[in-house]
Amino acid sequence: MTKISTLHKRWLKEPSYKKAYEQSRIEFEIAREIIEARMKSGLSQEELAIRMQTSQSAIARLESGSGLPSMRTLAKFAQATNSQIQIHFKPMKTPRQKIAA
């Protein structure tokens, strides 16, 4: 069986896949962080849903990366997983562009 990370690396060579991935990168990164935090907290999707007073299917959608969760949802998630939210802005690897005044 092929790992998804191996497939992802292979697919990134295809321009259409790479473009779609880049456009959804933030959603995927947030989804990955959410999944990792839930797993580290030792909670199933169902247990997390109970703590957040929502449904298991809502947690599955949150973890799918299909959209951006609201800050209110992220705050509820952080409380339910006994974690804290941290937002970091990192410079992109592309050259800096001057902003017109």
Side-chain angles (χ1 to χ4, degrees):
M1 178 179 266
T2 306
K3 289 184 174 183
I4 191 70
S5 59
T6 303
L7 290 173
H8 174 68
K9 287 178 187 176
R10 187 181 316 152
W11 294 337
L12 276 175
K13 294 174 185 173
E14 297 178 27
S16 60
Y17 177 86
K18 184 175 181 174
K19 181 179 178 181
Y21 177 78
E22 290 297 324
Q23 290 174 339
S24 300
R25 177 183 295 255
I26 293 171
E27 288 92 335
F28 291 135
E29 288 177 7
I30 291 172
R32 187 187 76 247
E33 290 288 332
I34 286 171
I35 293 166
E36 286 180 17
R38 178 182 59 78
M39 293 177 73
K40 285 179 183 175
S41 69
L43 297 171
S44 67
Q45 287 185 345
E46 185 65 35
E47 292 166 327
L48 179 59
I50 291 167
R51 287 187 182 192
M52 290 181 64
Q53 299 178 337
T54 190
S55 64
Q56 180 275 325
S57 60
I59 301 302
R61 283 191 302 276
L62 189 61
E63 292 184 357
S64 73
S66 61
L68 289 171
S70 69
M71 285 303 297
R72 179 172 288 140
T73 298
L74 292 176
K76 286 175 71 173
F77 176 86
Q79 183 177 14
T81 58
N82 196 31
S83 57
Q84 65 182 37
I85 299 170
Q86 292 185 351
I87 298 173
H88 302 273
F89 293 93
K90 298 178 187 176
M92 297 179 74
K93 294 180 182 179
T94 58
R96 235 174 56 183
Q97 296 177 349
K98 293 183 179 181
I99 299 173

